[in-house]
Amino acid sequence: MSSIQRLKGFQDVLPEDRQYWDYLMTKATDLARRYGFLRIDVPVLETNSLFERGVGTASDFFVKKEMYSIEEEDGEVVTMRPEFTAGLVRAYVQNGLHNWPQPVKLFTFGPIFRRERPQAGRFRQHSQFNCEIMGETDPMADLEVMLIAIGLYREIGYSDLTFQLNSIGCPVCKPGYLTALEAFLADHRENLSPTDRERLQRNPLRILDSKETGMEELLAGAPRTIDHLCDDCDSHFSELRRLLDVLEQSYTINHRLVRGIDYYTKTAFEVWDQRIGAQAALCGGGRYDGLAEAIGGPPTPGVGFGLGIERAVLGMKEEGLVPPAPPEPVVFVTHFSGETKVAAVKIASDLRGLGIGVRVAFAREKRSMKSQLREANKFPTRFAIIVGEDELAQGQVTVRSMAGGDQVQVPMADLGPWLQAAL
RNA sequence: GCGGGUGUAGCGUAGCGGUUAACGCGUCUGGUUGUGGCCCAGAAGACCGUGGGUUCGAAUCCCACCACUCGCCCCA
């Protein structure tokens, strides 16, 4: 057990699992394009201040403990992106996308990195599908990103998800809400667990999603964000709900769904699948009208979501959903080494040139036909091409049907067309 | 950082104090001369997570550590 091991919280995606990934990414790309989103890619590594400033001083927890950072020789600290949104907003500002026709709708895929303790559905490197709409305050934008998130799961065939929705206000109304919440919690201080008392100091909003026993009942009487919204946030939220209703998209108003950082505003939403364990959120999103400014850009509204690929795959497996298998070669070329091996290589190459997938038996020395056909049988082979000395002498090959075992002789020159007709 | 569970061949498991650690799947070879699947025969593959201890004897009991895993914390 001394061989080099994979890092904790990191994963190898083996071919079998990769099929799920490819399927999800194909579906997601297709769906996003149907809404007019454009693909963008941003670097994995960014200057640390992008995330420091984006995350805000209130939650320096991430910066200190959960980001992978390196100090360069010149003293600059660079960080493996722990999320997508900050980088996308940075790219929007830096490349002048605010001069494009607004809003700008972007999507991307890729890995993000967080040094967390791994558990079911949570890894230190995980991959996301992100969609963002920048430069638009209309609730229609909120609606569109939600529809993509929900639509993806629906088109893949998920049956048992819940769509959680809330509005957490903005810098105008959030302070008033926080005051009310803190007053309420102060009244119930004696009923709070030590963990929750700590939260009360650090980040009172987070008590709302506390898992401590008894909090369910206590929080039922807590003030709700949606009862403290300013006029702007309130009308935004009601219009969003009206649009969802018109589309008959069901949702659960979750008063305990929050975002811990200041630049998040108004809409917050998540898609849950209870069956994958404690990390039930398959997808989280919302509005971040304060982010562009926080990273030093012009004030720009934005809304979007991040959708975890690993969790989506876990969920697919729970649902019993199987991705379509990728195409595999159905032609297998066998030979008897020597000149026949050379001919086999040429034949395989010619067939591939015609767009036909082909495997050739690899053999340093002469290999028995039995072992070559056994190998062919391990794959979804439909035709085995036997290139032997006898055949070669007559300028033809034997084509064996793996289904029935019947064989025919085909002139080498006709093999391509013959197979194209047969496949 | 804090708890629970688990560590035996590539994978899934059995063995739970006594001799060369077993089974299934998988892998490889063979069952005459150039022919797969089924079947049959055989082979390779495990320092039984690591280190200590108890014992005449330990994969089996005890301790520690490590790894994996689930959960808490946190969750951009």
Side-chain angles (χ1 to χ4, degrees):
Chain A
M1 259 313 173
S2 57
S3 63
I4 294 173
Q5 304 290 300
R6 158 185 0 105
L7 254 27
K8 179 201 288 292
F10 289 74
Q11 289 199 117
D12 300 311
V13 182
L14 299 179
E16 195 182 334
D17 261 9
R18 186 64 228 188
Q19 292 180 213
Y20 286 81
W21 287 56
D22 288 340
Y23 178 64
L24 280 164
M25 290 172 72
T26 303
K27 283 288 194 183
T29 299
D30 174 64
L31 188 56
R33 291 202 192 282
R34 250 183 279 158
Y35 281 80
F37 283 65
L38 304 170
R39 168 84 191 237
I40 184 174
D41 278 272
V42 293
V44 168
L45 208 58
E46 298 265 11
T47 184
N48 183 256
S49 49
L50 172 64
F51 305 114
E52 256 182 351
R53 288 156 79 184
V55 154
T57 49
S59 310
D60 56 359
F61 178 83
F62 313 130
V63 182
K64 297 222 157 72
K65 304 216 113 173
E66 303 205 335
M67 297 206 292
Y68 285 96
S69 297
I70 313 164
E71 185 172 347
E72 306 258 47
E73 282 186 29
D74 62 3
E76 182 177 18
V77 178
V78 296
T79 295
M80 308 276 282
R81 63 185 177 207
E83 56 149 334
F84 257 121
T85 313
L88 292 170
V89 172
R90 193 225 83 233
Y92 173 93
V93 172
Q94 181 168 1
N95 295 291
L97 304 201
H98 51 277
N99 291 320
W100 290 11
Q102 300 296 298
V104 175
K105 308 202 246 184
L106 302 170
F107 75 98
T108 192
F109 291 97
I112 65 171
F113 303 84
R114 300 175 183 179
R115 187 190 243 95
E116 298 175 297
R117 190 74 182 265
Q119 57 192 79
R122 178 196 265 191
F123 308 96
R124 290 185 166 184
Q125 173 180 341
H126 87 270
S127 293
Q128 285 194 352
F129 165 52
N130 266 58
C131 283
E132 316 286 348
I133 298 183
M134 275 169 266
E136 183 55 70
T137 55
D138 193 311
M140 285 177 72
D142 307 49
L143 179 77
E144 279 203 0
V145 294
M146 288 175 187
L147 291 178
I148 292 175
I150 300 166
L152 178 60
Y153 297 115
R154 183 172 295 148
E155 292 193 8
I156 284 169
Y158 278 76
S159 60
D160 195 20
L161 300 177
T162 65
F163 179 53
Q164 308 281 321
L165 182 65
N166 198 16
S167 177
I168 57 170
C170 67
V172 174
C173 49
K174 201 190 272 180
Y177 171 74
L178 281 175
T179 306
L181 178 65
E182 282 168 36
F184 171 84
L185 292 170
D187 287 346
H188 295 82
R189 198 183 156 75
E190 66 281 5
N191 295 324
L192 296 181
S193 68
T195 311
D196 283 332
R197 285 183 198 171
E198 216 176 286
R199 286 189 178 109
L200 186 53
Q201 302 300 318
R202 197 180 57 238
N203 196 348
L205 259 190
R206 277 290 166 201
I207 297 188
L208 290 177
D209 56 16
S210 168
K211 290 170 191 162
E212 301 291 321
T213 51
M215 289 307 280
E216 184 91 24
E217 297 74 43
L218 193 153
L219 289 170
R224 302 165 159 188
T225 54
I226 60 169
D227 296 327
H228 290 75
L229 297 178
C230 60
D231 289 348
D232 181 37
C233 288
D234 188 56
S235 67
H236 184 95
F237 194 50
S238 22
E239 186 174 347
L240 175 61
R241 292 176 63 177
R242 192 164 78 245
L243 293 171
L244 287 165
D245 291 340
V246 166
L247 295 178
E248 295 180 0
Q249 172 56 54
S250 64
Y251 54 86
T252 305
I253 300 283
N254 184 342
H255 302 290
R256 298 172 62 179
L257 180 62
V258 294
R259 292 282 114 101
I261 299 174
D262 291 341
Y263 60 70
Y264 283 99
T265 56
K266 298 188 168 76
T267 315
F269 68 92
E270 291 185 354
V271 179
W272 287 3
D273 180 347
Q274 234 70 45
R275 286 176 292 188
I276 59 172
Q279 307 297 316
L282 289 179
C283 166
R287 188 162 269 286
Y288 46 87
D289 291 346
L291 177 55
E293 253 185 307
I295 66 168
T300 310
V303 61
F305 67 82
L307 183 156
I309 307 282
E310 288 83 354
R311 288 187 194 176
V313 169
L314 274 179
M316 277 185 78
K317 289 177 177 172
E318 282 296 320
E319 294 258 6
L321 299 170
V322 180
E328 276 195 85
V330 295
V331 173
F332 191 98
V333 181
T334 67
H335 59 267
F336 296 97
S337 212
E339 279 312 300
T340 62
K341 180 169 163 181
V342 174
V345 169
K346 181 74 170 70
I347 288 167
S349 173
D350 289 347
L351 291 177
R352 292 185 190 118
L354 294 172
I356 300 172
V358 180
R359 291 178 212 274
V360 203
F362 289 162
R364 271 176 201 262
E365 291 162 14
K366 191 164 177 177
R367 227 178 111 187
S368 75
M369 188 48 46
K370 179 205 277 275
S371 91
Q372 294 186 64
L373 287 176
R374 269 185 178 161
E375 185 184 347
N377 201 238
K378 285 173 197 150
F379 304 110
T381 306
R382 289 180 55 198
F383 295 104
I385 312 296
I386 299 170
V387 186
E389 285 90 353
D390 301 346
E391 285 89 342
L392 217 50
Q394 299 165 52
Q396 50 185 20
V397 294
T398 299
V399 179
R400 177 181 179 83
S401 161
M402 296 298 281
D406 44 301
Q407 305 188 164
V408 294
Q409 305 292 118
V410 177
M412 236 160 340
D414 300 341
L415 183 60
W418 191 96
L419 282 170
Q420 283 175 321
L423 293 173

